[in-house]
Amino acid sequence: MRRGLFISFEGGEGAGKSTQIKLLAAKLRAKGYSLTVTREPGGSPGAEAIRHVILSGAAETFGPKMEALLFAAARSDHIEQVIRPAIERGDIVLCDRFVDSWRVYQGSSGEIDPVFMDVLERVSVNGMMPDLTLIMDIDPVEGLERATARRGDDVADRFEKETLAIHRSRRKAYLEIARKEPDRCVVIDASMPPEAVENSVTAAAFGVIQRRFAALGSQVQEA
Ligand code: TYD
């Protein structure tokens, strides 16, 4: 069994992932857990360099396969440089987006051969799947409104600027992953009032954390 625990946060634009990660991180730190808080694309120096290439839209002209390869390269570096060492140290890793973003954004576009996607996923993830994935679910109309408000005068990134139909199909793709992998995924209704969202996230996360650390024989604290 892993010493640490890996939790990823997923969802469409403006679903509130970053806010919830901050809130959960503060609670876990207050309870004395050792944390690594990270994000994708990025999270390691190599992957952050690739993040810039992808989100600026510079790689878009080279086609979806090239973009998928860049995401996978960034993920591989991030896992081997940051996530795996943290899990081996016994940290709880909170990651803003992970492989489900890739399955949803690149995979469900229908532009890339699913076998190519599968092979690339296996090679890049290299066994490091999350123990828990919180899928923040929100109607894309509301999510995009929030993302626009948060962005202020900055321009929309490569993915935010896509059509509502694409954002809707991504929402469906996330829910489909949750349906297929109920042991790993918990869907959180991100349209609830902020406190209710926070309570749901806390309950799901602490449930898994307590089971893991109890199984490892560590002292368990109540949420
Ligand atoms: P970011 O600004 O970090 O997004 P957010 O604040 O919405 O989490 O930008 C990351 C973008 O990259 C986001 O639109 C989703 C997309 N993405 C992919 O297409 N594939 C991936 O594998 C990952 C990790 C992200």
Side-chain angles (χ1 to χ4, degrees):
M1 190 186 288
R2 291 177 183 173
R3 281 193 67 206
L5 190 99
F6 182 14
I7 303 178
S8 62
F9 286 72
E10 293 282 358
E13 314 298 324
K17 295 185 293 355
S18 327
T19 308
Q20 292 303 326
I21 290 172
K22 275 193 204 126
L23 292 167
L24 181 62
K27 279 186 193 155
L28 292 172
R29 282 202 186 95
K31 295 210 172 280
Y33 289 105
S34 177
L35 294 189
T36 293
V37 180
T38 186
R39 68 165 179 189
E40 289 209 346
S44 63
E48 287 291 330
I50 295 177
R51 174 186 173 92
H52 175 71
V53 174
I54 298 171
L55 293 189
S56 66
E60 197 178 354
T61 47
F62 303 124
K65 226 171 154 179
M66 175 67 144
E67 268 188 336
L69 281 161
L70 288 171
F71 273 115
R75 176 159 306 118
S76 171
D77 190 67
H78 180 216
I79 289 172
E80 304 312 336
Q81 302 298 323
V82 174
I83 298 178
R84 198 182 307 280
I87 297 288
E88 282 170 4
R89 280 196 304 273
D91 276 14
I92 296 175
V93 175
L94 304 182
C95 190
D96 190 343
R97 295 193 182 279
F98 192 64
V99 75
D100 298 301
S101 284
W102 191 71
R103 290 178 179 178
V104 165
Y105 283 69
Q106 280 66 55
S108 70
S109 70
E111 291 174 302
I112 308 175
D113 174 8
V115 176
F116 178 85
M117 289 293 292
D118 276 357
V119 171
L120 213 48
E121 176 178 319
R122 253 181 289 130
V123 171
S124 58
V125 172
N126 196 13
M128 190 47 74
M129 279 303 280
D131 299 286
L132 171 68
T133 296
L134 295 162
I135 297 178
M136 313 291 292
D137 179 53
I138 195 159
D139 185 321
V141 173
E142 198 181 328
L144 289 169
E145 267 171 21
R146 289 188 192 175
T148 308
R150 180 187 62 188
R151 198 168 58 234
D153 292 335
D154 290 350
V155 288
D157 74 26
R158 153 82 179 85
F159 297 97
E160 281 169 350
K161 66 180 166 56
E162 286 168 321
T163 65
L164 192 55
I166 293 181
H167 290 292
R168 288 211 165 103
S169 73
R170 287 179 184 151
R171 183 186 195 192
K172 275 176 73 180
Y174 269 125
L175 295 175
E176 185 59 17
I177 291 174
R179 197 185 60 76
K180 283 191 181 146
E181 296 187 51
D183 291 345
R184 172 173 69 90
C185 300
V186 173
V187 178
I188 306 280
D189 177 358
S191 67
M192 295 187 297
E195 223 183 274
V197 175
E198 187 185 344
N199 290 341
S200 301
V201 168
T202 306
F206 273 87
V208 173
I209 290 166
Q210 287 174 349
R211 278 198 298 281
R212 167 60 48 85
F213 290 103
L216 285 172
S218 325
Q219 208 185 349
V220 177
Q221 293 153 305
E222 290 300 318

Short mmCIF file of all heavy atoms in Angstrom, two decimals, residues 11-15 105 136-148 159-160 162-175 190-191:
data_model
loop_
_atom_site.label_atom_id
_atom_site.label_comp_id
_atom_site.label_asym_id
_atom_site.label_seq_id
_atom_site.Cartn_x
_atom_site.Cartn_y
_atom_site.Cartn_z
N GLY A 11 -12.92 18.97 -13.18
CA GLY A 11 -14.17 19.66 -13.51
C GLY A 11 -13.95 20.66 -14.62
O GLY A 11 -12.80 20.93 -15.01
N GLY A 12 -15.03 21.20 -15.11
CA GLY A 12 -14.95 22.16 -16.20
C GLY A 12 -14.45 23.51 -15.73
O GLY A 12 -14.08 23.69 -14.56
N GLU A 13 -14.47 24.46 -16.64
CA GLU A 13 -14.00 25.83 -16.32
C GLU A 13 -14.90 26.45 -15.25
O GLU A 13 -16.12 26.28 -15.28
CB GLU A 13 -14.03 26.70 -17.59
CG GLU A 13 -13.45 26.05 -18.84
CD GLU A 13 -11.98 25.69 -18.73
OE1 GLU A 13 -11.24 26.45 -18.08
OE2 GLU A 13 -11.57 24.65 -19.27
N GLY A 14 -14.29 27.13 -14.30
CA GLY A 14 -15.05 27.87 -13.29
C GLY A 14 -15.81 27.00 -12.30
O GLY A 14 -16.75 27.47 -11.66
N ALA A 15 -15.40 25.75 -12.13
CA ALA A 15 -16.12 24.85 -11.21
C ALA A 15 -15.71 25.07 -9.76
O ALA A 15 -16.34 24.53 -8.85
CB ALA A 15 -15.91 23.40 -11.61
N TYR A 105 -10.72 16.32 -22.09
CA TYR A 105 -10.44 17.40 -23.04
C TYR A 105 -9.83 16.86 -24.34
O TYR A 105 -10.22 17.28 -25.42
CB TYR A 105 -9.51 18.45 -22.42
CG TYR A 105 -10.18 19.39 -21.45
CD1 TYR A 105 -10.64 18.93 -20.22
CD2 TYR A 105 -10.37 20.73 -21.75
CE1 TYR A 105 -11.25 19.79 -19.31
CE2 TYR A 105 -10.98 21.60 -20.85
CZ TYR A 105 -11.41 21.13 -19.64
OH TYR A 105 -12.02 21.98 -18.75
N MET A 136 -15.85 18.21 -9.72
CA MET A 136 -16.69 19.37 -9.40
C MET A 136 -17.60 19.61 -10.61
O MET A 136 -17.14 20.04 -11.67
CB MET A 136 -15.82 20.60 -9.16
CG MET A 136 -14.63 20.37 -8.24
SD MET A 136 -15.12 20.08 -6.56
CE MET A 136 -15.76 21.67 -6.17
N ASP A 137 -18.88 19.31 -10.41
CA ASP A 137 -19.82 19.32 -11.53
C ASP A 137 -20.66 20.60 -11.53
O ASP A 137 -21.28 20.93 -10.51
CB ASP A 137 -20.73 18.09 -11.40
CG ASP A 137 -21.76 18.04 -12.52
OD1 ASP A 137 -21.36 18.12 -13.69
OD2 ASP A 137 -22.97 17.95 -12.21
N ILE A 138 -20.64 21.28 -12.66
CA ILE A 138 -21.43 22.52 -12.77
C ILE A 138 -21.91 22.71 -14.20
O ILE A 138 -21.23 22.30 -15.15
CB ILE A 138 -20.60 23.74 -12.30
CG1 ILE A 138 -21.51 24.94 -12.05
CG2 ILE A 138 -19.48 24.08 -13.27
CD1 ILE A 138 -20.92 25.99 -11.16
N ASP A 139 -23.08 23.33 -14.35
CA ASP A 139 -23.57 23.69 -15.68
C ASP A 139 -22.53 24.63 -16.31
O ASP A 139 -22.15 25.63 -15.69
CB ASP A 139 -24.92 24.40 -15.53
CG ASP A 139 -25.55 24.70 -16.89
OD1 ASP A 139 -24.80 25.08 -17.83
OD2 ASP A 139 -26.78 24.57 -17.00
N PRO A 140 -22.07 24.31 -17.54
CA PRO A 140 -21.02 25.13 -18.15
C PRO A 140 -21.39 26.61 -18.29
O PRO A 140 -20.51 27.46 -18.25
CB PRO A 140 -20.83 24.52 -19.53
CG PRO A 140 -21.38 23.16 -19.45
CD PRO A 140 -22.42 23.14 -18.37
N VAL A 141 -22.68 26.93 -18.40
CA VAL A 141 -23.06 28.35 -18.52
C VAL A 141 -22.63 29.08 -17.24
O VAL A 141 -21.98 30.13 -17.28
CB VAL A 141 -24.59 28.50 -18.75
CG1 VAL A 141 -24.99 29.97 -18.71
CG2 VAL A 141 -24.99 27.87 -20.08
N GLU A 142 -22.94 28.47 -16.09
CA GLU A 142 -22.57 29.08 -14.81
C GLU A 142 -21.05 29.06 -14.63
O GLU A 142 -20.44 30.05 -14.20
CB GLU A 142 -23.24 28.31 -13.66
CG GLU A 142 -23.27 29.09 -12.37
CD GLU A 142 -23.92 28.30 -11.23
OE1 GLU A 142 -24.85 27.50 -11.49
OE2 GLU A 142 -23.48 28.48 -10.09
N GLY A 143 -20.43 27.95 -15.00
CA GLY A 143 -18.97 27.82 -14.85
C GLY A 143 -18.23 28.87 -15.68
O GLY A 143 -17.31 29.51 -15.19
N LEU A 144 -18.66 29.04 -16.92
CA LEU A 144 -17.97 30.01 -17.78
C LEU A 144 -18.18 31.44 -17.29
O LEU A 144 -17.28 32.28 -17.39
CB LEU A 144 -18.44 29.86 -19.23
CG LEU A 144 -17.95 28.57 -19.92
CD1 LEU A 144 -18.66 28.36 -21.25
CD2 LEU A 144 -16.43 28.60 -20.14
N GLU A 145 -19.37 31.70 -16.73
CA GLU A 145 -19.61 33.04 -16.14
C GLU A 145 -18.62 33.30 -15.02
O GLU A 145 -18.01 34.36 -14.93
CB GLU A 145 -21.03 33.12 -15.57
CG GLU A 145 -22.03 33.68 -16.56
CD GLU A 145 -23.46 33.53 -16.06
OE1 GLU A 145 -23.67 33.37 -14.84
OE2 GLU A 145 -24.38 33.54 -16.92
N ARG A 146 -18.46 32.29 -14.15
CA ARG A 146 -17.51 32.43 -13.05
C ARG A 146 -16.09 32.60 -13.57
O ARG A 146 -15.33 33.44 -13.06
CB ARG A 146 -17.53 31.18 -12.17
CG ARG A 146 -18.77 31.01 -11.33
CD ARG A 146 -18.49 29.84 -10.42
NE ARG A 146 -19.66 29.34 -9.72
CZ ARG A 146 -19.63 28.25 -8.95
NH1 ARG A 146 -18.53 27.57 -8.81
NH2 ARG A 146 -20.71 27.85 -8.32
N ALA A 147 -15.72 31.79 -14.57
CA ALA A 147 -14.35 31.87 -15.11
C ALA A 147 -14.10 33.24 -15.73
O ALA A 147 -13.02 33.82 -15.56
CB ALA A 147 -14.13 30.77 -16.15
N THR A 148 -15.12 33.80 -16.40
CA THR A 148 -14.96 35.12 -17.02
C THR A 148 -14.79 36.19 -15.95
O THR A 148 -13.93 37.07 -16.06
CB THR A 148 -16.20 35.44 -17.89
OG1 THR A 148 -16.41 34.35 -18.77
CG2 THR A 148 -16.01 36.71 -18.71
N PHE A 159 -8.41 26.74 -23.95
CA PHE A 159 -9.57 25.86 -23.77
C PHE A 159 -10.83 26.61 -23.34
O PHE A 159 -11.92 26.23 -23.71
CB PHE A 159 -9.23 24.74 -22.77
CG PHE A 159 -8.12 23.85 -23.27
CD1 PHE A 159 -6.81 24.05 -22.88
CD2 PHE A 159 -8.38 22.85 -24.19
CE1 PHE A 159 -5.78 23.27 -23.39
CE2 PHE A 159 -7.37 22.05 -24.70
CZ PHE A 159 -6.06 22.26 -24.30
N GLU A 160 -10.64 27.69 -22.57
CA GLU A 160 -11.82 28.45 -22.11
C GLU A 160 -12.61 29.01 -23.29
O GLU A 160 -13.81 29.17 -23.23
CB GLU A 160 -11.38 29.62 -21.21
CG GLU A 160 -11.04 29.21 -19.79
CD GLU A 160 -10.36 30.33 -19.00
OE1 GLU A 160 -9.97 31.35 -19.61
OE2 GLU A 160 -10.21 30.17 -17.79
N GLU A 162 -13.46 27.84 -26.07
CA GLU A 162 -14.21 26.93 -26.94
C GLU A 162 -15.73 27.06 -26.75
O GLU A 162 -16.20 27.69 -25.80
CB GLU A 162 -13.73 25.49 -26.71
CG GLU A 162 -12.36 25.31 -27.35
CD GLU A 162 -11.67 24.03 -26.95
OE1 GLU A 162 -11.77 23.66 -25.77
OE2 GLU A 162 -11.03 23.42 -27.79
N THR A 163 -16.50 26.43 -27.66
CA THR A 163 -17.95 26.65 -27.66
C THR A 163 -18.65 25.98 -26.47
O THR A 163 -18.13 25.02 -25.89
CB THR A 163 -18.59 26.06 -28.94
OG1 THR A 163 -18.41 24.63 -28.89
CG2 THR A 163 -17.98 26.62 -30.20
N LEU A 164 -19.86 26.49 -26.20
CA LEU A 164 -20.66 25.94 -25.10
C LEU A 164 -20.94 24.45 -25.33
O LEU A 164 -20.92 23.65 -24.40
CB LEU A 164 -21.96 26.72 -25.01
CG LEU A 164 -22.80 26.50 -23.76
CD1 LEU A 164 -22.01 26.74 -22.49
CD2 LEU A 164 -24.04 27.40 -23.80
N ALA A 165 -21.17 24.07 -26.59
CA ALA A 165 -21.45 22.66 -26.90
C ALA A 165 -20.27 21.78 -26.47
O ALA A 165 -20.46 20.69 -25.92
CB ALA A 165 -21.72 22.50 -28.38
N ILE A 166 -19.06 22.26 -26.70
CA ILE A 166 -17.87 21.48 -26.31
C ILE A 166 -17.80 21.37 -24.78
O ILE A 166 -17.57 20.30 -24.23
CB ILE A 166 -16.58 22.11 -26.89
CG1 ILE A 166 -16.60 21.98 -28.41
CG2 ILE A 166 -15.33 21.46 -26.30
CD1 ILE A 166 -15.38 22.54 -29.12
N HIS A 167 -18.06 22.48 -24.09
CA HIS A 167 -18.03 22.44 -22.62
C HIS A 167 -19.10 21.48 -22.09
O HIS A 167 -18.87 20.78 -21.11
CB HIS A 167 -18.21 23.84 -22.04
CG HIS A 167 -17.02 24.73 -22.28
ND1 HIS A 167 -15.79 24.53 -21.68
CD2 HIS A 167 -16.85 25.81 -23.08
CE1 HIS A 167 -14.93 25.44 -22.09
NE2 HIS A 167 -15.55 26.25 -22.95
N ARG A 168 -20.26 21.47 -22.76
CA ARG A 168 -21.33 20.55 -22.32
C ARG A 168 -20.90 19.10 -22.52
O ARG A 168 -21.16 18.25 -21.67
CB ARG A 168 -22.62 20.83 -23.11
CG ARG A 168 -23.28 22.13 -22.71
CD ARG A 168 -24.81 22.05 -22.86
NE ARG A 168 -25.43 23.15 -22.16
CZ ARG A 168 -25.92 24.24 -22.75
NH1 ARG A 168 -25.89 24.37 -24.06
NH2 ARG A 168 -26.46 25.20 -22.02
N SER A 169 -20.25 18.81 -23.63
CA SER A 169 -19.85 17.42 -23.87
C SER A 169 -18.76 17.01 -22.88
O SER A 169 -18.68 15.85 -22.47
CB SER A 169 -19.42 17.21 -25.32
OG SER A 169 -18.17 17.80 -25.53
N ARG A 170 -17.96 17.96 -22.45
CA ARG A 170 -16.94 17.64 -21.42
C ARG A 170 -17.60 17.29 -20.09
O ARG A 170 -17.16 16.38 -19.39
CB ARG A 170 -15.99 18.82 -21.24
CG ARG A 170 -15.06 18.97 -22.41
CD ARG A 170 -14.14 20.15 -22.25
NE ARG A 170 -13.34 20.29 -23.46
CZ ARG A 170 -12.87 21.41 -23.92
NH1 ARG A 170 -13.09 22.55 -23.26
NH2 ARG A 170 -12.16 21.46 -25.02
N ARG A 171 -18.64 18.04 -19.77
CA ARG A 171 -19.34 17.75 -18.52
C ARG A 171 -19.86 16.30 -18.55
O ARG A 171 -19.70 15.55 -17.58
CB ARG A 171 -20.52 18.71 -18.35
CG ARG A 171 -21.25 18.51 -17.05
CD ARG A 171 -22.49 19.36 -16.96
NE ARG A 171 -22.99 19.42 -15.59
CZ ARG A 171 -24.17 19.90 -15.27
NH1 ARG A 171 -24.97 20.39 -16.20
NH2 ARG A 171 -24.56 19.90 -14.02
N LYS A 172 -20.46 15.93 -19.67
CA LYS A 172 -20.98 14.56 -19.82
C LYS A 172 -19.85 13.54 -19.70
O LYS A 172 -20.00 12.49 -19.08
CB LYS A 172 -21.67 14.40 -21.18
CG LYS A 172 -23.12 14.84 -21.16
CD LYS A 172 -23.75 14.74 -22.52
CE LYS A 172 -24.05 13.32 -22.98
NZ LYS A 172 -24.68 13.32 -24.33
N ALA A 173 -18.72 13.87 -20.31
CA ALA A 173 -17.59 12.92 -20.29
C ALA A 173 -17.08 12.72 -18.85
O ALA A 173 -16.74 11.60 -18.45
CB ALA A 173 -16.47 13.43 -21.19
N TYR A 174 -17.05 13.79 -18.07
CA TYR A 174 -16.64 13.65 -16.66
C TYR A 174 -17.62 12.74 -15.91
O TYR A 174 -17.21 11.88 -15.13
CB TYR A 174 -16.61 15.02 -15.97
CG TYR A 174 -15.27 15.72 -16.04
CD1 TYR A 174 -15.18 17.01 -16.56
CD2 TYR A 174 -14.12 15.12 -15.56
CE1 TYR A 174 -13.96 17.67 -16.62
CE2 TYR A 174 -12.90 15.78 -15.61
CZ TYR A 174 -12.82 17.05 -16.13
OH TYR A 174 -11.61 17.69 -16.18
N LEU A 175 -18.92 12.97 -16.13
CA LEU A 175 -19.91 12.19 -15.40
C LEU A 175 -19.84 10.71 -15.81
O LEU A 175 -20.08 9.81 -15.00
CB LEU A 175 -21.31 12.77 -15.61
CG LEU A 175 -21.49 14.18 -15.01
CD1 LEU A 175 -22.86 14.76 -15.35
CD2 LEU A 175 -21.27 14.17 -13.48
N ALA A 190 -21.17 21.40 -7.72
CA ALA A 190 -20.45 22.66 -7.48
C ALA A 190 -21.36 23.88 -7.60
O ALA A 190 -20.90 25.01 -7.43
CB ALA A 190 -19.28 22.78 -8.46
N SER A 191 -22.65 23.65 -7.89
CA SER A 191 -23.57 24.80 -7.95
C SER A 191 -24.18 25.08 -6.58
O SER A 191 -24.91 26.05 -6.41
CB SER A 191 -24.67 24.54 -8.98
OG SER A 191 -25.50 23.49 -8.51
#
